[in-house]
Amino acid sequence: MARSGWVKPESPERLSDHVSLGVLTRVFPPAVVDRVIAGAGAGQLRNRLLPSRLMVYYVMAMALFAAGSYEEVMRSLLAGLDWITGRFGGWQMPT
């Protein structure tokens, strides 16, 4: 039963989607992710559209949101990271 005065949001996006993905960057700070990448010998040699750090967060997000499509998980991840950092607003999804 809905609460009195509750209004359904117009957008299907939920704040909890962004917060839960943003929490990845809080629980696993970029410095920790970079150390793991370096330890695995999987560092990148060139600047790419899908950098190693982003891909690590993407794999963790896919595990959290297994019911979503790959594209939807990437969109949610980038929206969450943009919400936290403000860096991914103009980024284009690779196809």
Side-chain angles (χ1 to χ4, degrees):
M1 175 181 258
R3 293 182 184 171
S4 177
W6 184 81
V7 177
K8 183 177 179 181
E10 292 179 24
S11 169
E13 239 176 65
R14 298 172 301 179
L15 178 61
S16 61
D17 293 337
H18 298 299
V19 171
S20 58
L21 291 171
V23 167
L24 286 175
T25 61
R26 302 286 182 175
V27 174
F28 302 102
V32 171
V33 172
D34 291 342
R35 279 197 309 266
V36 170
I37 291 168
Q44 58 200 41
L45 301 175
R46 297 180 292 189
N47 237 351
R48 301 252 182 200
L49 187 58
L50 296 172
S52 302
R53 184 189 304 162
L54 176 62
M55 293 311 296
V56 169
Y57 286 123
Y58 180 53
V59 169
M60 289 189 278
M62 285 192 307
L64 288 174
F65 299 100
S69 69
Y70 292 148
E71 290 178 6
E72 184 58 36
V73 172
M74 180 62 86
R75 269 194 290 277
S76 295
L77 175 64
L78 293 176
L81 291 175
D82 184 49
W83 187 68
I84 297 267
T85 66
R87 290 185 51 204
F88 293 98
W91 190 80
Q92 292 293 319
M93 173 93 62
T95 58

